[in-house]
Amino acid sequence: MSHSAHRRTAAATALALAGLLTAAVPATAAPGGPPASAPGSPASAATSPAALAAPDIPLANVKAHLSELQSIAGANGGNRAHGRPGYKASIDYVKAKLDAAGFTTTVQQFTSSGATGYNLIADWPGGDPNQVLMAGAHLDSVSSGPGMNDNGSGSAGVLETALAVSRAQLQPAKHLRFAWWGAEELGLVGSRYYVNNLPSAERSKISGYLNFDMIGSPNPGYFVYDDDPAIEQTFKDFYAGLGVPTEIETEGDGRSDHASFKNVGIAVGGLFTGASRTKSSAQAQKWGGTAGQAFDRCYHSSCDTTSNINDTALDRNSDAIAHAVWTLSAGSTVPPGEVYETTGDVAIPDNGAAVTSSVTVSGRTGNAPATLKVGVDIKHTWRGDLVVDLLAPDGTAYRLKNSSGSDSADNVITTYTVNASAEAANGTWKLRVQDVAAQDTGYIDSWRLTF
Ligand code: DTR
Ligand code: ZN
Ligand code: ZN
Ligand code: CA
């Protein structure tokens, strides 16, 4: 009997196990692809909607927000710093855009250094209130300048992504919440105030916080925060699609508003194009720009104006924000309880080398669950001979069964639960079986993973 690995819904698996399906399908039936069933047999795969593709974020729109913020600084003493009129005017501008676009906005006040500060929170109606994806940027500048790259760039990129959500009337699985923080330059004051005043029950609903602080540096690097693996991978996948190499952000820990969320155990990620560190020649080789020069020579200076922006970096990173928001808010692209299985027989050599049987998982986002079900069906007399492991796509082994000389019963037909939350879901998983004692023999009949 030679079938190959395929993906079925739980219901279809029941049919399959009842022998009603004789599908011989490609080893990796990608979700949304053709149903994994032979012609004439009952439709077997739930074709769940894959994550919708994010729209392109128009650079001109992002730059228009920057121009507005520049004008606001110009009309208010040359800056948009905490406690200065230019900051409140920046809040009012962003809030007006979001109110007009259908967001539910809240202005949260706090006091820092004797002055009133403001956070702007914008909720997009809909989505699972128990799964909140957040994206944010600090809106304040230092007092020495208008703060276009730091951090008008992040503020404008997040704002335009929110407006794109409205234009698309996106209805993601998760609830979307956007935020613009006050007094970041005084020490993450606004974002820390928000997190500290969020009841723990509300904190636990936040599935991730995406931070964007300096995403248009004039001599840009493309840095991805190395925090939550699924969020990091989402950004890396986006840049891989552009053919743009990225580096891990190494100076960022604690240096921006994601730290306020990370400090209370919320998954975080983000993007950064560099500040006062200098670009190496190797980095100039891969990214262009000027080696030996700071990524942003106007960091925290009066020259951090709209001319202190690299349009390509701002455009790419704004699109990356949208990609991450669309992708990470879609929930899992395949319904829970999705089964990936193989029914191919693999003979187990008596008292010999280990053998493996593979199942390929694709189309999922993020990591495998902490309760990954591994259903095995091994036909073998005197099962005490057998050692059984699950191998994750990266080769990590999870021991399912040890040998036991005294266990003379036949067959291993059972389901194990494995905490595979450290493993990326997509890839080729293997069941490894070894017969470590002479005489009794058998074979792997089938096995399956249920996510
Ligand atoms: N703290 C930010 C700028 C900054 C400097 N290094 C990093 C690394 C990652 C994010 C941000 C930053 C500020 O001055 O606003
Ligand atoms: Zn700064
Ligand atoms: Zn900043
Ligand atoms: Ca044996």
Side-chain angles (χ1 to χ4, degrees):
M1 186 166 72
S2 64
H3 297 264
S4 53
H6 34 263
R7 173 176 72 82
R8 297 186 179 113
T9 59
T13 300
L15 282 178
L17 295 181
L20 295 180
L21 279 180
T22 56
V25 290
T28 53
S37 62
S41 61
S44 70
T47 48
S48 57
L52 297 171
D56 176 76
I57 299 299
L59 172 65
N61 293 9
V62 181
K63 293 190 64 140
H65 300 313
L66 280 178
S67 297
E68 191 61 38
L69 294 175
Q70 172 81 58
S71 300
I72 287 170
N76 291 283
N79 68 71
R80 299 179 306 102
H82 163 74
R84 308 292 183 82
Y87 179 71
K88 183 60 169 60
S90 301
I91 285 280
D92 293 345
Y93 169 74
V94 176
K95 183 179 186 299
K97 289 285 184 186
L98 293 162
D99 288 338
F103 284 83
T104 306
T105 58
T106 309
V107 177
Q108 181 183 46
Q109 287 193 14
F110 59 87
T111 301
S112 180
S113 307
T116 302
Y118 307 90
N119 293 325
L120 174 62
I121 310 296
D123 284 280
W124 180 242
D128 180 355
N130 295 310
Q131 288 192 84
V132 180
L133 178 69
M134 287 190 73
H138 75 85
L139 185 57
D140 63 310
S141 74
V142 292
S143 54
S144 52
M148 287 300 103
N149 187 37
D150 183 20
N151 183 38
S153 63
S155 297
V158 172
L159 172 58
E160 192 56 29
T161 297
L163 298 179
V165 165
S166 173
R167 287 193 293 266
Q169 286 296 296
L170 189 66
Q171 294 301 318
K174 296 182 182 174
H175 176 78
L176 289 177
R177 181 174 299 154
F178 298 89
W180 289 263
W181 308 116
E184 185 273 349
E185 300 289 6
L186 281 73
L188 321 184
V189 175
S191 58
R192 207 203 322 263
Y193 182 86
Y194 173 80
V195 170
N196 290 348
N197 287 274
L198 202 58
S200 59
E202 292 305 309
R203 286 182 194 170
S204 62
K205 296 173 184 175
I206 300 174
S207 66
Y209 171 71
L210 313 179
N211 193 59
F212 305 98
D213 182 357
M214 303 177 73
I215 64 168
S217 304
N219 187 24
Y222 293 90
F223 298 99
V224 177
Y225 294 11
D226 62 336
D227 288 292
D228 177 77
I231 297 175
E232 178 182 347
Q233 194 57 49
T234 301
F235 287 124
K236 282 178 169 174
D237 289 349
F238 174 78
Y239 271 100
L242 294 184
V244 174
T246 56
E247 287 186 10
I248 290 306
E249 164 43 47
T250 54
E251 72 172 290
D253 285 353
R255 295 284 306 267
S256 191
D257 295 301
H258 59 300
S260 302
F261 290 82
K262 188 175 181 179
N263 290 343
V264 296
I266 293 171
V268 302
L271 299 170
F272 177 59
T273 48
S276 43
R277 276 188 183 173
T278 55
K279 181 181 278 184
S280 69
S281 50
Q283 290 171 327
Q285 279 292 324
K286 65 175 147 181
W287 289 327
T290 310
Q293 192 181 94
F295 294 103
D296 181 355
R297 285 184 296 182
C298 291
Y299 173 59
H300 285 187
S301 306
S302 59
C303 57
D304 188 5
T305 65
T306 47
S307 57
N308 187 50
I309 293 287
N310 177 285
D311 285 357
T312 303
L314 184 61
D315 188 19
R316 286 170 171 171
N317 281 324
S318 298
D319 292 338
I321 298 172
H323 171 79
V325 166
W326 258 253
T327 302
L328 293 169
S329 65
S332 74
T333 50
V334 287
E338 191 65 11
V339 175
Y340 302 76
E341 71 174 338
T342 181
T343 55
D345 294 355
V346 178
I348 306 165
D350 184 22
N351 194 19
V355 292
T356 62
S357 170
S358 300
V359 161
T360 299
V361 174
S362 64
R364 304 194 72 80
T365 55
N367 285 10
T371 56
L372 178 64
K373 302 294 183 200
V374 187
V376 304
D377 183 343
I378 302 170
K379 303 291 196 300
H380 195 291
T381 53
W382 202 293
R383 66 186 173 205
D385 290 0
L386 299 180
V387 174
V388 185
D389 292 299
L390 173 70
L391 304 184
D394 70 356
T396 307
Y398 293 82
R399 176 55 49 90
L400 302 180
K401 177 189 176 298
N402 290 309
S403 61
S404 59
S406 60
D407 184 355
S408 61
D410 294 341
N411 305 333
V412 181
I413 302 175
T414 187
T415 297
Y416 302 96
T417 300
V418 173
N419 178 357
S421 55
E423 307 294 344
N426 291 333
T428 299
W429 295 74
K430 295 178 179 172
L431 189 74
R432 182 174 63 193
V433 182
Q434 185 170 14
D435 177 341
V436 296
Q439 290 169 25
D440 295 87
T441 60
Y443 64 98
I444 302 171
D445 191 352
S446 69
W447 72 285
R448 72 191 61 79
L449 293 172
T450 303
F451 282 74

